[in-house]
Amino acid sequence: MRSDHQQRIFAAIFIVCFFILLTAAITGTAQASFSLDDEKKLGREFYEKLEKGNALFQNEQVSAFVTLVGERILAHSDKAPFEFKFSIIRSSAINAFATPGGYVYLNQGLINLVENEGELAGVIAHEIAHVNGHHISEIIDRSKKLSISALAAILAGAFLGGSGDVTAAVTSFSLAAATAFSLKYSREQEEAADRIGMSYLVSAGYDGKSMLDFLKIMRRYEYYSNTTPSYFLTHPGTDERTRYIDALLQTTYTQGGKKGIVGHLKRVQTILLLDGKDTDANLQYFQKALRGNPDDVDALYGLAVTYDKLGMIRESHETFRKALRIAPDDPDILRDLGISFFKLGQLNDAAASLRRAAELAENDTNTLLYLGRTYEAMGDLPNALGVYRKLEKRRLDDPEIYYNLAMTYGKANEQGDSHYYFGLFFKKKGKLDSALFHFQAAMKLFPADAARSREIAKEIKSLKR
C-alpha cells in the first residue's frame, strides 16, 4: 500500500497534470465552444501522460474484467461518438472519474472497496453518463479562464513539486484548486449522471440498488476511517444524491437485477491487493479471510503468492496445493505455482504446471512467457521458440519477449534472427546505438530480397532518422 506521503505526492502530480491540460484546452477554445475533436484530444493527452508516468495499473486479467463490465454498460447506453477506454489508476485512494473523449478511470482503492460487481458497474455507469452528457466540456465552455489560485497551483507543482520538504504546500495549493473546480459541477449534472447512469445500469441487467449501496459503503468507510474518500470531493452533494437515487429505486426501478454478471470480482481484488508492496499487511488480510472461510480459493491463492514473496516457499507450495485441491483447473494458481517451480529450478514441475495453465488460459502472457523460459532452460529450443513466436504474433511490445527470442535463436545458432531480436530489445530499452549495431549485423546475414531484410532496413532507417 502507498503511504499517505506518497498518496499526497501522487495527488499533487495528478491534479497539476489535469489543470495543465485543462488550461491548454481552455486557451485553445476561448473563442469557440469545446468541440468533439477537442474532447478527444484532451482525453488522449491526459491518458498518455498518465501512461508515461506509470500511473496506470497494467494487468491483462484486471483490465479485461473492468472493460467487460464497462462494455456491458455501454451496450445499453446512449450512442456516444467516442471509443471508450477503461483504465485503473495505481492508487489506494477511493475515487473514480472520467475525462472528455470517453476515458473512464477507476482507482485500485475503489475497486477493492466494492462488495459486488453491481456496485462497480454503478460507478462505471455514472461516469459514462458524465461523458455522454459532456459535463466537463460544459464546465470548460462556461470557464473562459482559470482563477489565480488554479494558476498558482500549476506554478507550485511545476517549480516545487520535486522538493520533498514542500510537498504539503504543493498539495494544499492543488487540493484547493481541485475543490474549486469540482464544486463547479452543478447539482443538475450530478443528478443527470445518476438518473441516466441508473437507466444504463438496470438495462445492462444489474440491480439498480447497487448504486445506492456503494454510496452507503463509502459513508461507512468515511465514518470508520475518519477520512473523506476522494470520490466525495470529485462527486459532491452525496447526501442529496443518496436521496435522489433512493427515490428512483422506489418509483422507477423496482424490479431488481443481478449483483454480478461478468464474475471473478474477488480474484480481481486479490490481484490488486497483491500489487501492493505491503506483504505483511496482505499476509494478515488473507489469513484473516481464511479463518472465516478456510476453503476460500481467492484467499488461498493470495496467501500462497504472499508466502512466495516473503520467501516462505514451503508454505507457499502447500497453500497452492490446497487451493488446487479445491479448484484443480484454476489457471492463475497453476501459472503462479509453475513460476515458483521455475524460480527454484524445478523445471519438470514448472513445465507441467505451466502447460496446464496455458491450456486453460491460452492467451495469458505471463503463462506463455514462463513456459517459453522453462523450455529454454530445459534445452527444448523448438518448443521455446514456438511459445515466444506465439507471444510475438500478439504484438505485445514487450522487451522481455524480444530478449528471450534473441537468446533462444542464439542458442539455436540462428545468428541473423538473434541479432534482429536483440536490435528490437535494445530499441525498446532506448539504447539506440546497441540496437543499430545488432540490426546492421543482422542485415549481413539475410539475403537482400528476404522479408526479414526489408524489416531490418526499416528499423535501421527509423533509427538513423
Side-chain angles (χ1 to χ4, degrees):
M1 295 295 180
R2 295 177 183 271
S3 66
D4 291 341
H5 179 71
Q6 289 173 316
Q7 289 187 35
R8 286 198 299 270
I9 294 173
F10 183 90
I13 294 171
F14 172 82
I15 294 164
V16 167
C17 177
F18 182 85
F19 272 107
I20 290 171
L21 291 172
L22 187 59
T23 305
I26 293 171
T27 303
T29 58
Q31 304 303 319
S33 63
F34 201 62
S35 69
L36 286 177
D37 283 343
D38 291 329
E39 290 193 52
K40 292 175 182 178
K41 181 179 179 181
L42 175 57
R44 184 172 60 253
E45 281 193 45
F46 185 71
Y47 173 85
E48 288 173 352
K49 286 184 180 296
L50 290 184
E51 186 177 44
K52 186 176 180 180
N54 196 34
L56 302 179
F57 178 70
Q58 305 288 1
N59 178 279
E60 290 179 356
Q61 194 169 342
V62 176
S63 297
F65 168 80
V66 171
T67 299
L68 284 172
V69 175
E71 287 179 345
R72 186 173 184 88
I73 300 294
L74 284 174
H76 297 84
S77 73
D78 302 326
K79 298 296 182 182
F82 304 119
E83 292 291 332
F84 275 77
K85 188 171 185 63
F86 302 91
S87 302
I88 300 99
I89 298 283
R90 286 184 179 277
S91 172
S92 60
I94 299 165
N95 201 13
F97 62 94
T99 63
Y103 294 82
V104 176
Y105 299 93
L106 303 164
N107 281 20
Q108 287 177 306
L110 183 140
I111 298 174
N112 277 329
L113 186 68
V114 301
E115 294 182 352
N116 59 61
E117 182 186 316
E119 292 171 2
L120 185 65
V123 173
I124 292 174
H126 181 90
E127 299 306 329
I128 290 174
H130 271 309
V131 174
N132 287 349
H134 306 278
H135 291 163
I136 293 181
S137 301
E138 289 176 359
I139 294 170
I140 293 173
D141 272 340
R142 291 197 301 268
S143 305
K144 297 306 178 185
K145 61 180 181 179
L146 289 175
S147 67
I148 295 300
S149 63
L151 291 172
I154 294 169
L155 293 174
F159 294 112
L160 303 175
S163 302
D165 57 343
V166 295
T167 298
V170 175
T171 305
S172 64
F173 266 110
S174 302
L175 289 177
T179 303
F181 175 73
S182 297
L183 291 176
K184 292 180 183 178
Y185 278 101
S186 68
R187 180 177 300 179
E188 289 76 18
Q189 285 177 326
E190 283 298 314
E191 288 189 357
D194 284 329
R195 182 179 65 254
I196 296 168
M198 178 69 78
S199 71
Y200 296 165
L201 183 69
V202 173
S203 297
Y206 291 102
D207 188 345
K209 187 173 176 290
S210 299
M211 190 178 284
L212 180 63
D213 289 341
F214 179 67
L215 290 178
K216 290 180 177 178
I217 287 171
M218 288 203 302
R219 278 301 185 203
R220 292 202 307 270
Y221 174 88
E222 181 183 27
Y223 176 76
Y224 287 113
S225 69
N226 199 31
T227 60
T228 301
S230 305
Y231 190 83
F232 286 171
L233 298 175
T234 57
H235 296 76
T238 306
D239 290 334
E240 292 85 351
R241 287 179 60 196
T242 300
R243 288 192 288 270
Y244 183 76
I245 293 170
D246 203 9
L248 287 175
L249 292 170
Q250 297 302 321
T251 59
T252 309
Y253 301 103
T254 59
Q255 69 272 35
K258 296 180 179 180
K259 292 186 176 181
I261 297 174
V262 174
H264 305 297
L265 171 65
K266 282 193 67 178
R267 179 57 55 85
V268 165
Q269 291 174 323
T270 299
I271 292 169
L272 290 173
L273 282 172
L274 292 171
D275 179 62
K277 306 302 181 188
D278 194 343
T279 49
D280 289 331
N282 283 343
L283 182 66
Q284 294 177 25
Y285 175 86
F286 293 124
Q287 287 175 335
K288 180 180 179 181
L290 288 167
R291 284 195 291 271
N293 179 8
D295 292 334
D296 184 334
V297 172
D298 294 299
L300 285 167
Y301 167 64
L303 182 60
V305 174
T306 303
Y307 278 143
D308 186 74
K309 287 183 176 182
L310 290 168
M312 302 168 68
I313 304 302
R314 181 178 61 82
E315 292 86 347
S316 174
H317 286 191
E318 286 177 357
T319 309
F320 272 132
R321 291 189 180 97
K322 181 176 180 180
L324 283 173
R325 285 195 293 271
I326 300 169
D329 292 330
D330 189 309
D332 294 335
I333 298 171
L334 287 162
R335 177 199 61 225
D336 286 352
L337 177 59
I339 292 172
S340 179
F341 279 134
F342 172 81
K343 290 177 179 177
L344 291 172
Q346 298 174 223
L347 300 180
N348 289 328
D349 290 330
S353 191
L354 290 166
R355 273 196 298 265
R356 181 59 183 149
E359 291 171 2
L360 295 165
E362 61 182 0
N363 291 320
D364 185 89
T365 300
N366 271 342
T367 299
L368 294 176
L369 182 59
Y370 274 94
L371 181 58
R373 292 178 68 182
T374 300
Y375 282 138
E376 184 183 349
M378 295 171 73
D380 188 350
L381 301 183
N383 271 326
L385 284 172
V387 173
Y388 292 145
R389 284 172 183 149
K390 185 175 181 179
L391 282 168
E392 186 190 18
K393 285 179 181 178
R394 294 174 58 195
R395 300 191 180 278
L396 301 170
D397 198 17
D398 185 340
E400 191 73 13
I401 295 169
Y402 297 143
Y403 179 81
N404 288 328
L405 275 164
M407 290 295 292
T408 307
Y409 274 118
K411 292 175 183 178
N413 203 31
E414 297 184 33
Q415 298 303 319
D417 284 316
S418 181
H419 278 297
Y420 171 69
Y421 284 105
F422 270 127
L424 293 177
F425 169 74
F426 284 115
K427 178 184 175 184
K428 184 65 178 174
K429 288 291 189 178
K431 297 180 179 180
L432 304 188
D433 288 340
S434 295
L436 185 60
F437 167 81
H438 284 287
F439 284 136
Q440 289 173 336
M443 181 66 85
K444 299 174 183 177
L445 298 172
F446 289 99
D449 58 347
R452 182 69 88 199
S453 293
R454 291 192 291 272
E455 294 171 12
I456 296 169
K458 289 179 182 178
E459 294 291 349
I460 291 174
K461 185 176 180 181
S462 71
L463 288 176
K464 287 183 175 180
R465 186 186 305 124

